[in-house]
Structure formats: C-alpha cells, structure tokens
Amino acid sequence: MILNPRVFSFITLSETKSFTRTGDLLHLTQPAISQHIKSIEEEFGVTLFEKNGRDLVLTKEGAYLLKYFKRMKNVDDAMHQAIDEYKQNRRRIDIGMTPTASEYLIPRLFTIIFSRTPRISVNFHVHPMVELYERMKTYEFDFSICDEKMADRKFLSKRIMDDRLGLIVSNKNHFAGESGVHMQDLRGEKFILRHGKSSTRILFEDWLTLHEDNISRYNVILEIESIPIIKELVSQNHGVTVLPLSVCKDEIKEGILKELEVTGFTIRRGTYLIYPEEAKESTLIRQIMISLDQATE
C-alpha cells in the first residue's frame, strides 16, 4: 500500500507546527503542503489547524483525525517491515509494557518467545498505562501487558496474573515490627511514590478516597517512575512506598523490605495481556497466554 502524500504532510505538520519545516523534511513546497491540508479539510468538512499567535495549533477535529492518520501510517510501516522480515525469514514484534509488568515479566516473556520462535527480534516499550493505551490504538505494538483492561472493543484482554498492593518499608523502619498499624499513623512518614498517572498510584489514591482520606494528608517527598530506585531508597529507610508485591517479593523474602500490616489496607489488581481483536488466532498470542497461565498457577 502506498499512502497518499497528504498523510505524511498532516502528521509532520502536526509535529513541526511549521509549513516551512514540514516542506524541508518532506522535500515538498509550502503550497504543496497547504494543498494537502486543504484537501483533507474539504474531504471531512473540518478545520485541522488554527493560529494561536505565530503558532499552529491542532483543532479538536484535527486531533481526532490525527489519531487515525497515525494509525494508517503505523499499519503501513508494519506491513512493509513484515514483508522485509518475511523475505529474510525473520519476524519482529513490538511489545508494550507498564513499568510494573516489565519488572518481573520481561525475562519470562523473553524465554517464552525465543523458545518457540527462534528467528525473531523483540522490542519492549515501557510506558505508563495511559500512554500504552494511546499507542495501542495507533497499532504501534503487537500486544501490551498492562495493569487494567482496555476499554476498546477493537482489543481483547486476558487476565494473566493476580497481584495486590502493599505498603512497603525498610526492615529498619520503626513501624516494621508492629502489627495493626492504621493508615492515619503514617501521615508523619515520608512517602516515595510512583507518578500520578501510574496505575499503582491511581489505585492507592482511589483507596484513600474510598476511606474518606486523601493523598494531600501524607508527606510525599518524591515521585519517580523507576521501581528499582524506589525500592533502593526505601531499603535505605528514606521513606514508605506503595508497590505491587510481585515487584518486591524477593526483597521481602530476603528481609531487606517489609510489608506493613495496615488495618483494612487491601488493594487487589490484575495483569492483562491486551491484543488487537484480529490477532486472537495468532499462534504466538496463544502460546504466551498458555505459558503465562502455567507459570502463574
């Protein structure tokens, strides 16, 4: 499939916000770029861009259409890449993962995939859940492993693991040896948490709200996406954190970290394999589902 040049003009202009820069990148004249944009606007009866001072800004209609144009480009790129790899008797897959899932599932997935499909290359892309969903919608990934189902009928979800969140401290923390700790007792502690868009953070704040509490009542001294850094800082007794037990079970077993016994604190969550509906017959998807089911029994 050869994409219409206006696809590239629209996508590039949305990124550069400059007709001159877009023309330079695509080796086209500015009038040609303008004609491509006008053609799209006339076809769909919308305005794609509007001026904000000297800047070009996407309209709401433009932003909506851009998602579909990016999807077209990603499908086209994937098709050309697939044919090239087919000619070389190779295959490449792109896998999206949340930071939590990547902590414990990348080695397992690597083993599953390469034990069954030796001539393959794999790219893991680790992003917060919200970004993963957006990139799945533009078909950038063959499948993703996320902390929640995806609310889109074009994608199917398979629960592959059960987990729960824990309040985690160093074994040196003064609460480490206590039982029956109440959440309110921790308001004087320093908290080291994941960023606000992570599913772990969202679930924790939702739990607080449900119990007529709020994150603003706690002393959050650091927000960072790196789970290994969070675990290291907490192990040095720099604060309390909230993490899935799956990512800190080894440190808990070794006595480096401790899960606090907080009264009433129970937050369960699942891990899901999410893939396009048209991939439901994929041999690789089926193999991964079967292997992960067996590994988590």
Side-chain angles (χ1 to χ4, degrees), residues 55-186:
D55 297 328
L56 273 181
V57 180
L58 275 170
T59 63
K60 290 182 179 180
E61 295 83 2
Y64 187 78
L65 274 178
L66 181 62
K67 292 191 297 183
Y68 289 93
F69 275 70
K70 283 185 174 180
R71 184 179 298 180
M72 290 167 60
K73 183 180 180 299
N74 288 335
V75 171
D76 185 72
D77 289 344
M79 185 168 57
H80 281 88
Q81 180 179 297
I83 291 298
D84 288 342
E85 290 163 356
Y86 178 79
K87 291 175 181 176
Q88 301 171 38
N89 195 28
R90 291 193 62 85
R91 185 185 172 191
R92 164 182 154 154
I93 59 172
D94 289 274
I95 303 171
M97 301 188 81
T98 56
T100 301
S102 71
E103 275 288 300
Y104 59 91
L105 277 179
I106 284 181
R108 191 179 298 169
L109 274 174
F110 187 89
T111 301
I112 293 168
I113 293 168
F114 280 92
S115 66
R116 292 163 172 77
T117 318
R119 291 187 62 80
I120 195 170
S121 63
V122 180
N123 286 331
F124 289 104
H125 306 265
V126 181
H127 300 286
M129 188 172 63
V130 173
E131 184 175 344
L132 278 184
Y133 287 172
E134 289 304 312
R135 296 180 71 171
M136 278 289 287
K137 290 176 183 178
T138 57
Y139 292 86
E140 292 184 50
F141 308 137
D142 292 270
F143 63 87
S144 289
I145 295 183
C146 303
D147 307 320
E148 291 182 11
K149 292 181 179 180
M150 188 170 173
D152 190 319
R153 292 182 180 179
K154 299 184 183 70
F155 296 89
L156 303 178
S157 302
K158 165 70 175 177
R159 192 179 184 108
I160 55 174
M161 187 173 180
D162 291 307
D163 202 354
R164 67 181 176 86
L165 302 186
L167 280 152
I168 308 299
V169 297
S170 164
N171 61 358
K172 303 168 188 171
N173 186 280
H174 59 100
F175 280 114
E178 296 190 21
S179 59
V181 177
H182 293 278
M183 195 67 214
Q184 290 78 4
D185 298 334
L186 302 177

Side-chain angles (χ1 to χ4, degrees), residues 200-291:
T200 299
R201 179 68 174 270
I202 292 169
L203 286 169
F204 177 48
E205 293 198 17
D206 286 348
W207 185 90
L208 289 175
T209 301
L210 186 65
H211 291 78
E212 300 181 348
D213 206 346
N214 192 284
I215 192 66
S216 64
R217 296 173 180 168
Y218 296 85
N219 182 21
V220 181
I221 63 166
L222 178 64
E223 295 176 286
I224 187 169
E225 197 55 39
S226 172
I227 293 173
I229 291 176
I230 291 175
K231 291 193 292 185
E232 179 63 25
L233 290 173
V234 172
S235 72
Q236 294 175 17
N237 202 22
H238 289 301
V240 180
T241 193
V242 178
L243 287 175
L245 295 185
S246 57
V247 304
C248 49
K249 61 182 180 182
D250 291 339
E251 291 84 355
I252 291 174
K253 186 176 181 181
E254 293 167 12
I256 299 170
L257 297 177
K258 167 85 174 180
E259 181 191 4
L260 288 181
E261 296 180 24
V262 178
T263 302
F265 188 83
T266 303
I267 305 177
R268 301 195 178 277
R269 55 181 264 170
T271 300
Y272 296 87
L273 175 69
I274 299 174
Y275 53 96
E277 199 275 339
E278 58 266 27
K280 63 183 178 182
E281 300 301 326
S282 163
T283 301
L284 179 60
I285 292 291
R286 290 203 301 270
Q287 288 172 341
I288 289 172
M289 284 194 289
I290 292 170
S291 298

